[in-house]
Amino acid sequence: MWETIAQAVINGLLIGGIYALVSIGVTLIFGVVKIVNFAQGEFVMIGMYISFFLSSQFGIDPLVSLIVSMPVLFVIGVLVQHFLIRRVLGPNDMPQIFLTFALSLLLLNLALMLFSANYRTVHTSYSDEALHLGELYIPVAKLIAFVVAMALSGALWVFLHTTDLGKAMRAAAQNRDVATLMGINPNRVFCVALGIALALAGAAGSLLMPFYSAYPFVGQVFVLMAFVAVVLGTLGNVIGALVASLMMGVAESLGIQFVGADSGLIVVFAMLLLTLAFKPTGLGGGRAR
Amino acid sequence: MKKDRKDSVSCKAGLSESSAASSQTLSKRHGRREFLLKTGGILAAGAFGAVPLRGWAADPVNIGALYPTTGSMAQIGIGCVAAAKLAVDMINDAGGIRSLGGAKLNLIISDVQSDTTVTRTETDRLITGNKLSAIHGCFASALTLIASEVAERAKVPLLTGSSSDQLNKGRTHTFTPFARASQFAQAQLRMSRLVSDKPKVAVIFENTAFGTSTSNGLREQAAAEGVEIVLFEPYSAGFTDASPLINKVKSAGANALFSVSYLNDLILIVRTVKQVGLNIAINGGSGGFVIPDFYKNVGKLGEGLQGVAHWNHDMDANSEKVNAEYKKRTGEFLFEYAGGLVAQTFIIADALERAASPDPQKVRDAIAATDVSSGFAAMCPGGKVKFGPDGKNIHAHPVGVQWQNGDLASVYPEEDKRAPLLKT
């Protein structure tokens, strides 16, 4: 019995690491720029296709292609902020919602046109390998993805807490107006925030590639979980999103094991509803950190 | 998603221009995306184009083809169109329909966009806009059910390889030369008995109409076939991780796994089974499991996996011949649905020959009277086509297939077996 539970927890934590990369991006953008990026999943998809093509054309390992996908997505993030989001920032939320939603649909359909709806997978030597510990097993590709995801989250935390730019971002997240008065250039901070958030999405894409298929709709699968994690972990709270993502992964996995294989999302959303009912600001506490 | 109406591509194949470069008459209202997809399909088919209808001795006979060449089912739909063109080329190159003065077949292709609403309007438009003698389509049962309703009302005969048993209920113009869904379930259960004397089967299925109906068919027939189902588990399609599900299969102590899944889930399931180190015979059923793309995605892990199909390219000399030609044109082997579709085109040609008329009602009657046991029209498991009053081929049955060295080999039943079943 305990093996079953332990295995379910391991499975949940591993996939939770990927959810974390997506949700940290969403929460970072929300915290700093105060917009909800509906297109985050599509940037994961772009990251996956970058890794897929680097692997199929040049034989580059998806994990190595991280050093391509992250900078490319960072630049896309800066461009999106500078040329699109900057123009709709204002008191009215509606144009922002429509902008990121339109961006999501645009990218999705572009991918359909360019790459077709086919599933693309990459084979690596470690794709199908697993470490066996007694009755338990840990898939190698997922373990690597989890470790890299945690390392990137840690690096982001260090960046936010030790560098001037990181502190400026947190300042802008806490109070944009006061931060602007203190001499922080909001557009520069926003550009970096978008860049980092999209780079994380790109990393998620590359890390997924050894064990998941790329297809135009793939982002939708992950962005749904990311939104739940962001709300659960308090909007704008990076650590909250990370913890909530891991919790959701575990809840989903335990749900599939003990309730039924079509209950994964039910458990996750029940968790969300309960949290909102009893702690409306989310598990991360009342304020963004 | 794009939902505009699309115009049909009219392709006319003949002896003289079949090898010439394409000069399709594409209608005016074409998006670039559609253009790319269509030209892709046409190039894949070996590039032949339409020319004005001038200089033919006999009027060509119009055959409608309804396939999803865009949208989520596009991949299989494009393969179907390539096969449909190949079949028409074969008939026209051999002299067309003799009883109609050597009339050529004119294939009119319509894209049903993997969408039920579009299928209804496209079928309607295809029938009202053209004088059709017969139609074949649409690969996915959900789409074929709608297209056949429209065709029934218009009294145009429709042939299909779709497996839904629903297609044989209360219809007079719908003909199904291949095995039915209920027969697929039976074949799958019997195959599990080849692997073990006491099969303990875990059935996992995606929880929408496709998975639910297929898995219920399996459950209903299991007891009669002497198969014990130890796990019957629905799951939501498009999951991120198959591990918890495979954990359940493992705890259930199953020695065979039936997965009624879409391609992406199936890839994850197959990989996870390997990672867990579970030694279990997997049967992936039909559809997306028996197309070349499946093997491309799972690679060596696909070896030894079993499935069921209504057609396979190693059945007889004729199928191998068609397969070789299709391979030459597209680079892939001829998959189940596309191969069956070549046979369907020859059944239509055979009926036209006997009807000696392009009139859809006469063609319908001739199809109903079909009784062939040789040639390309009889290219199906069992090698015979004769329709019962419900439009079902009374000789039809599925073949059990297994992935062996990157190819699909027929392994079940005994009379259709072309390679021994590998027990993995």
Side-chain angles (χ1 to χ4, degrees):
Chain A
M1 186 61 187
W2 75 268
E3 285 110 342
T4 317
I5 298 174
Q7 187 63 56
V9 171
I10 291 173
N11 294 338
L13 282 176
L14 292 181
I15 197 69
I18 297 292
Y19 295 160
L21 279 185
V22 188
S23 61
I24 287 174
V26 173
T27 212
L28 189 68
I29 295 175
F30 184 83
V32 178
V33 196
K34 298 282 181 288
I35 62 162
V36 178
N37 181 16
F38 287 100
Q40 192 75 2
E42 276 57 55
F43 294 115
V44 176
M45 181 254 306
I46 293 175
M48 292 187 83
Y49 275 108
I50 290 175
S51 287
F52 170 76
F53 283 110
L54 286 177
S55 167
S56 60
Q57 300 298 316
F58 306 105
I60 297 170
D61 190 283
L63 295 177
V64 178
S65 63
L66 208 68
I67 55 176
V68 178
S69 64
M70 286 187 70
V72 168
L73 266 298
F74 184 90
V75 172
I76 295 178
V78 172
L79 295 177
V80 165
Q81 161 63 26
H82 192 74
F83 290 105
L84 297 174
I85 295 176
R86 192 164 62 99
R87 297 171 196 279
V88 296
L89 285 179
N92 191 349
D93 287 344
M94 275 303 167
Q96 303 161 12
I97 292 174
F98 288 137
L99 180 102
T100 60
F101 196 64
L103 193 60
S104 159
L105 289 179
L106 175 78
L107 293 172
L108 210 160
N109 284 289
L110 265 179
L112 268 176
M113 186 181 104
L114 294 174
F115 311 131
S116 79
N118 292 2
Y119 296 109
R120 320 270 181 165
T121 53
V122 164
H123 274 277
T124 60
S125 52
Y126 50 88
S127 277
D128 310 314
E129 295 306 317
L131 304 174
H132 288 265
L133 307 165
E135 283 290 293
L136 303 178
Y137 72 96
I138 303 174
V140 174
K142 284 182 193 158
L143 182 64
I144 297 173
F146 179 79
V147 171
V148 177
M150 289 304 109
L152 287 174
S153 310
L156 177 66
W157 194 87
V158 171
F159 168 78
L160 288 176
H161 284 80
T162 58
T163 65
D164 286 345
L165 190 55
K167 286 176 185 162
M169 279 168 69
R170 283 166 58 223
Q174 280 172 14
N175 192 323
R176 190 197 297 175
D177 297 332
V178 176
T180 313
L181 287 174
M182 296 297 120
I184 291 169
N185 175 353
N187 190 44
R188 177 156 169 266
V189 168
F190 293 173
C191 279
V192 175
L194 254 291
I196 292 176
L198 264 57
L200 289 178
S206 295
L207 291 172
L208 274 170
M209 214 50 227
F211 62 91
Y212 207 72
S213 317
Y215 55 100
F217 296 94
V218 70
Q220 316 264 307
V221 178
F222 291 92
V223 86
L224 182 67
M225 298 304 260
F227 280 136
V228 178
V230 165
V231 177
L232 259 185
T234 302
L235 282 159
N237 186 328
V238 170
I239 301 292
L242 172 65
V243 174
S245 299
L246 297 180
M247 277 172 56
M248 274 166 42
V250 173
E252 189 189 14
S253 173
L254 287 172
I256 291 175
Q257 185 72 47
F258 294 106
V259 185
D262 48 0
S263 76
L265 286 179
I266 299 175
V267 174
V268 166
F269 281 97
M271 220 164 94
L272 175 69
L273 284 180
L274 286 175
T275 312
L276 287 180
F278 293 105
K279 207 161 180 310
T281 51
L283 300 172
R287 62 193 196 96
R289 239 164 264 256
Chain B
M1 239 203 252
K2 216 171 110 182
K3 282 276 175 342
D4 56 348
R5 274 168 67 96
K6 302 208 171 173
D7 296 304
S8 311
V9 185
S10 173
C11 292
K12 171 89 184 48
L15 281 166
S16 51
E17 71 279 5
S18 63
S19 58
S22 65
S23 63
Q24 317 92 294
T25 46
L26 293 166
S27 321
K28 288 160 213 137
R29 294 172 47 211
H30 269 276
R32 183 176 297 164
R33 168 175 166 222
E34 187 187 9
F35 175 74
L36 285 171
L37 284 165
K38 291 257 162 75
T39 43
I42 287 161
L43 287 176
F48 57 88
V51 288
L53 304 175
R54 236 176 282 134
W56 294 110
D59 282 342
V61 179
N62 290 331
I63 306 290
L66 292 162
Y67 293 98
T69 54
T70 56
S72 59
M73 302 163 188
Q75 202 185 347
I76 292 183
I78 288 169
C80 289
V81 168
K85 289 177 176 172
L86 168 63
V88 164
D89 283 356
M90 286 168 70
I91 291 163
N92 288 345
D93 289 354
I97 309 299
R98 284 188 186 80
S99 68
L100 287 171
K104 306 289 183 206
L105 295 187
N106 178 32
L107 189 66
I108 302 176
I109 300 155
S110 196
D111 176 16
V112 295
Q113 298 178 32
S114 319
D115 182 296
T116 47
T117 318
V118 178
T119 302
R120 192 178 294 281
T121 53
E122 273 303 298
T123 313
D124 230 2
R125 217 167 57 84
L126 183 71
I127 292 174
T128 47
N130 302 282
K131 273 187 72 180
L132 298 177
S133 299
I135 300 177
H136 57 73
C138 307
F139 158 63
S141 286
L143 305 182
T144 313
L145 280 166
I146 289 175
S148 85
E149 272 174 31
V150 179
E152 286 282 330
R153 246 183 289 127
K155 302 208 178 305
V156 177
L158 179 138
L159 266 83
T160 180
S162 297
S163 61
S164 169
D165 289 272
Q166 203 77 32
L167 286 164
N168 305 99
K169 286 182 186 137
R171 286 170 161 81
T172 53
H173 287 66
T174 304
F175 297 92
T176 59
F178 298 104
R180 313 284 69 219
S182 46
Q183 293 175 291
F184 275 89
Q186 191 187 43
Q188 220 172 326
L189 289 163
R190 288 186 179 171
M191 281 176 83
S192 73
R193 297 187 52 188
L194 299 178
V195 182
S196 160
D197 296 335
K198 279 210 176 87
K200 290 182 184 195
V201 175
V203 181
I204 55 180
F205 56 99
E206 64 86 31
N207 62 358
T208 65
F210 156 64
T212 316
S213 60
T214 311
S215 55
N216 278 337
L218 287 167
R219 184 159 64 175
E220 279 158 20
Q221 297 187 41
E225 298 297 333
V227 173
E228 186 191 352
I229 292 186
V230 292
L231 179 75
F232 192 75
E233 189 77 15
Y235 69 84
S236 343
F239 48 48
T240 51
D241 185 12
S243 326
L245 192 59
I246 299 308
N247 244 8
K248 282 198 107 156
V249 174
K250 192 180 175 189
S251 351
N255 58 17
L257 173 63
F258 290 178
S259 177
V260 188
S261 308
Y262 292 115
L263 183 60
N264 189 39
D265 297 335
L266 194 57
I267 295 167
L268 278 181
I269 287 167
V270 169
R271 284 184 160 184
T272 309
V273 166
K274 168 82 199 296
Q275 284 167 353
V276 178
L278 200 57
N279 187 15
I280 194 165
I282 302 177
N283 193 316
S286 178
F289 178 74
V290 290
I291 58 173
D293 213 51
F294 174 77
Y295 197 86
K296 267 195 251 161
N297 272 296
V298 298
K300 285 249 173 299
L301 286 185
E303 284 299 316
L305 298 196
Q306 302 167 24
V308 278
H310 68 233
W311 192 95
N312 198 25
H313 59 80
D314 63 0
M315 290 183 319
D316 57 16
N318 282 337
S319 355
E320 272 163 17
K321 211 157 109 190
V322 185
N323 179 41
E325 183 57 32
Y326 184 86
K327 227 176 198 167
K328 211 161 74 189
R329 290 185 175 199
T330 67
E332 310 276 11
F333 71 76
L334 185 57
F335 61 92
E336 177 203 27
Y337 200 95
L341 160 54
V342 175
Q344 288 172 38
T345 310
F346 275 90
I347 294 171
I348 293 173
D350 170 70
L352 280 165
E353 205 66 79
R354 283 181 286 111
S357 158
D359 176 60
Q361 193 53 45
K362 288 187 180 133
V363 176
R364 183 254 156 221
D365 294 342
I367 294 175
T370 298
D371 188 359
V372 289
S373 52
S374 65
F376 291 106
M379 191 171 60
C380 69
K384 284 182 205 158
V385 179
K386 184 177 164 81
F387 293 109
D390 52 1
K392 203 188 289 184
N393 176 9
I394 56 171
H395 300 292
H397 62 259
V399 278
V401 291
Q402 186 174 41
W403 283 104
Q404 297 182 356
N405 302 317
D407 199 1
L408 271 181
S410 303
V411 293
Y412 174 88
E414 206 54 44
E415 66 264 30
D416 299 303
K417 187 157 129 186
R418 300 291 175 268
L421 180 81
L422 299 176
K423 294 185 187 178
T424 43

